[in-house]
Amino acid sequence: MNTNNKKIALFPLVMLALGSLIGSGWLFGSWEATKIAGPAAIISWIIGGLIIGAIAYDYVEIGAMFPESGGMSKYAQYSHGSLLGFIAAWANWVSLITLIPIEAVAAVQYMSSWPWSWAKWTHHFLSGGVITTSGLFVVFGFIIVFTLLNFWSVKILTHFTSLISVFKIGVPLLTILLLTMSGFHPGNYGTSWHQFMPYGSAPIFTATSAAGIIFSFDAFQTVINMGSEITNPRKNIGRGITISLLISGIIYIILQSTFITAMPPAMIAKYGWHGITFNSPFADMAILLGIHWLSVLLYMDAFVSPFGTGVSFVASTARALFAMEGNHHIPRFIGKINPKYGIPRAAMLVDTVLSMVMVSVFRSWAVLATVLSTATLIAYLTGPVTAMSLRKMGPKLHRPVRLKRLPWIAPISFVLASLATYWAMWPTTVQVILVILLGLPFYFYYEWKNGFVATRKAFKASLWMIGYLIFISIMSYIGSKQFNGQNWIPYPLDFVVIILASLGFYYWGIKSYVVTADYYKAEELNKSVAGEDPED
């Protein structure tokens, strides 16, 4: 897709991933999680990191086997045919076109609380946590700029994100240092389990999906989707994911702890963790502690952090849509590559328009974060199944990275992704599943156009996923009241049911693999990485 001189080395790859990972999640996640779970929110970040880390592990082996742009949108099709491939690709794409506007919304929300007299005009951008019509046009402006910075070349993209990522890492670290020096109250964690978990244990899990934590860690797929544009993908795909997730995970956990310990105890005693209301959480905290110059820096970073993530994900989203066209289930013009710059410009423009539509419908950061997390998790459910299915159906495929722990990490990651989908709570889970199902008319139209070749075979291979989506929808409704269900299955028995059922669907999925023309294409692609020695 690109010439060698445009390929991305390990350092700019890590910077690109960090530019995606450290976005609006750090600006809002700690506050949202603390509101839900109190001091126990720190456990939510650890759980979120473990879930995404386990899922990412599955994709390292597949990504090294098939280094291609937009790969996350193709892998399921290689192992289970066109229908599962379409469901996974569509779910992943829905999450990506949600991510671009959520970063723009974050920047505009911080703008709306600028404290200076000359900036009063920005206060109309937000009302009751929802972007207003005037704010929406500013969001559109951000989305257009994100796109333009990707429109000419990968080289411009990596130079921009490497520079911006240094700033994005530095500001959270400075915030941790200054807030800790200005207000450090470790007693805020409490001296008993009740004080540490004031609202019980269930909100710890709720916060993982509903406070933007899964969303904050999700950007590891930036590395996977760059695929063939990475130098030495055999080594650098795994390294890029591991390094970027570790750095961002450490920063997020320390930030959460800083937010908890910097809060004035008198304020917690008066309002409780539920009652703490901020429009611009860390900037408001800096003003509260009298560090006004830090608040100015944070207002600046509220542009930079979401900006870097938005820019990075315009690239990933375009590659995901480009890959979907390669699966022959969306219009052909979307898959055209610009011959000069080697990027899918048409896909980029389509994503820009649909991102604007998405934010016009969902104007709240919290709602966008929950929708995004759920769609992402549904897409990721295919990863562990595909990784293990390829072990069975293609034992002779070349594996530059052969993961020794995959046979037991794959089912664990499937179960964790299932639980996190459930934690998004009724009715969000069902709403996102319905959005994903909206793509099926495209699938069946193109299947009809192509003469329904192997459609029945693909449907049979996808029955496990269809059954799973029905199961998780029902569980969301009849599950415990802590997750907004009818409490027919109380907490924590609902977790036991989901774990056991998920393992059943996982093993059904592995047994459902099918050899199609797409698998033979994958074999041809795999030959391009042959000749390398496998490593763990």
Side-chain angles (χ1 to χ4, degrees):
M1 188 165 159
N2 286 307
T3 56
N4 287 334
N5 65 347
K6 290 183 181 179
K7 288 205 171 187
I8 304 171
L10 180 60
F11 178 74
L13 180 66
V14 171
M15 289 295 102
L16 183 66
L18 285 173
S20 305
L21 281 159
I22 303 175
S24 60
W26 94 265
L27 293 166
F28 291 97
S30 295
W31 167 59
E32 292 279 0
T34 306
K35 276 201 308 178
I36 294 170
I42 194 143
I43 300 175
S44 304
W45 285 95
I46 296 168
I47 293 171
L50 289 173
I51 291 170
I52 294 298
I55 292 167
Y57 186 88
D58 303 321
Y59 281 101
V60 170
E61 179 168 307
I62 315 174
M65 288 170 69
F66 310 113
E68 57 184 325
S69 294
M72 294 279 288
S73 298
K74 293 185 176 182
Y75 302 142
Q77 186 149 330
Y78 294 157
S79 61
H80 287 78
S82 58
L83 180 54
L84 187 69
F86 182 85
I87 291 170
W90 187 271
N92 188 49
W93 178 66
V94 166
S95 74
L96 289 171
I97 61 165
T98 310
L99 197 144
I100 296 169
I102 199 176
E103 297 302 325
V105 165
V108 171
Q109 182 163 337
Y110 261 69
M111 280 178 68
S112 72
S113 60
W114 279 352
W116 308 291
S117 57
W118 58 267
K120 286 182 180 178
W121 55 279
T122 65
H123 298 176
H124 302 295
F125 293 166
L126 192 77
S127 177
V130 176
I131 297 294
T132 62
T133 301
S134 59
L136 193 62
F137 285 108
V138 182
V139 170
F140 288 169
F142 273 104
I143 293 171
I144 291 167
V145 173
F146 294 166
T147 303
L148 291 176
L149 281 167
N150 277 272
F151 209 63
W152 284 280
S153 79
V154 170
K155 195 170 183 181
I156 292 173
L157 168 65
T158 52
H159 284 173
F160 175 79
T161 51
S162 292
L163 178 66
I164 213 169
S165 295
V166 173
F167 184 79
K168 289 175 69 172
I169 296 167
V171 173
L173 293 177
L174 183 64
T175 302
I176 289 166
L177 178 65
L178 291 173
L179 290 184
T180 301
M181 288 172 63
S182 301
F184 182 59
H185 309 287
N188 287 351
Y189 276 109
T191 54
S192 65
W193 281 111
H194 175 69
Q195 289 176 328
F196 180 65
M197 296 188 295
Y199 312 116
S201 58
I204 295 171
F205 304 109
T206 303
T208 305
S209 293
I213 291 174
I214 292 289
F215 148 65
S216 298
F217 283 115
D218 173 48
F220 79 87
Q221 66 167 290
T222 302
V223 178
I224 300 288
N225 281 328
M226 298 305 279
S228 58
E229 296 162 78
I230 299 170
T231 57
N232 193 6
R234 168 183 173 262
K235 292 183 177 180
N236 288 342
I237 287 176
R239 288 174 178 173
I241 291 171
T242 303
I243 294 168
S244 58
L245 275 179
L246 277 174
I247 292 172
S248 59
I250 291 166
I251 290 173
Y252 280 136
I253 291 166
I254 298 173
L255 272 167
Q256 179 64 75
S257 183
T258 302
F259 189 88
I260 291 166
T261 57
M263 190 68 64
M267 193 171 176
I268 300 167
K270 185 176 181 181
Y271 299 106
W273 294 103
H274 272 345
I276 297 167
T277 304
F278 291 135
N279 280 337
S280 310
F282 278 104
D284 289 347
M285 179 78 82
I287 292 170
L288 192 67
L289 297 175
I291 321 170
H292 293 279
W293 70 268
L294 177 62
S295 70
V296 175
L297 185 62
L298 287 164
Y299 283 124
M300 287 172 56
D301 188 67
F303 275 103
V304 176
S305 286
F307 209 86
T309 304
V311 168
S312 298
F313 266 88
V314 165
S316 275
T317 308
R319 284 163 180 78
L321 191 57
F322 160 77
M324 283 174 68
E325 190 281 328
N327 295 343
H328 308 298
H329 287 108
I330 58 173
R332 189 173 295 174
F333 77 91
I334 288 172
K336 287 187 178 178
I337 298 293
N338 181 276
K340 183 176 180 181
Y341 299 111
I343 55 177
R345 280 186 163 182
M348 215 170 265
L349 292 174
V350 170
D351 288 334
T352 299
V353 172
L354 291 175
S355 292
M356 291 178 178
V357 172
M358 186 69 79
V359 75
S360 298
V361 176
F362 303 108
R363 298 192 185 188
S364 158
W365 187 91
V367 173
L368 285 167
T370 308
V371 169
L372 189 154
S373 298
T374 311
T376 300
L377 289 162
I378 290 170
Y380 286 164
L381 284 164
T382 60
V385 172
T386 291
M388 286 306 298
S389 294
L390 287 169
R391 286 269 182 106
K392 296 194 172 203
M393 65 193 295
K396 293 183 180 179
L397 286 172
H398 183 69
R399 289 171 170 79
V401 179
R402 186 179 179 89
L403 302 169
K404 293 176 183 176
R405 301 168 190 86
L406 186 65
W408 60 271
I409 287 185
I412 289 172
S413 61
F414 188 94
V415 167
L416 290 173
S418 296
L419 287 167
T421 302
Y422 174 71
W423 299 337
M425 300 196 297
W426 174 271
T428 304
T429 306
V430 174
Q431 289 170 341
V432 174
I433 289 171
L434 289 174
V435 169
I436 292 167
L437 294 179
L438 285 175
L440 290 181
F442 284 98
Y443 172 80
F444 286 111
Y445 169 75
Y446 280 97
E447 286 293 294
W448 166 75
K449 202 173 179 183
N450 297 327
F452 289 110
V453 178
T455 304
R456 187 174 179 179
K457 201 175 184 181
F459 182 77
K460 188 177 178 182
S462 303
L463 271 175
W464 68 273
M465 175 57 91
I466 295 166
Y468 173 84
L469 292 176
I470 293 169
F471 160 75
I472 204 72
S473 298
I474 293 171
M475 270 303 299
S476 182
Y477 179 73
I478 68 173
S480 62
K481 62 184 179 182
Q482 285 88 342
F483 298 94
N484 220 22
Q486 296 296 307
N487 210 38
W488 296 356
I489 304 176
Y491 172 78
L493 185 60
D494 49 350
F495 282 23
V496 176
V497 173
I498 289 170
I499 290 167
L500 294 175
S502 295
L503 287 171
F505 284 110
Y506 167 78
Y507 288 110
W508 180 10
I510 291 175
K511 290 182 178 179
S512 299
Y513 71 79
V514 62
V515 177
T516 64
D518 292 296
Y519 174 74
Y520 295 119
K521 288 179 187 175
E523 276 190 326
E524 289 302 310
L525 176 62
N526 183 247
K527 288 176 184 177
S528 69
V529 297
E532 307 276 1
D533 293 321
E535 63 174 40
D536 188 22

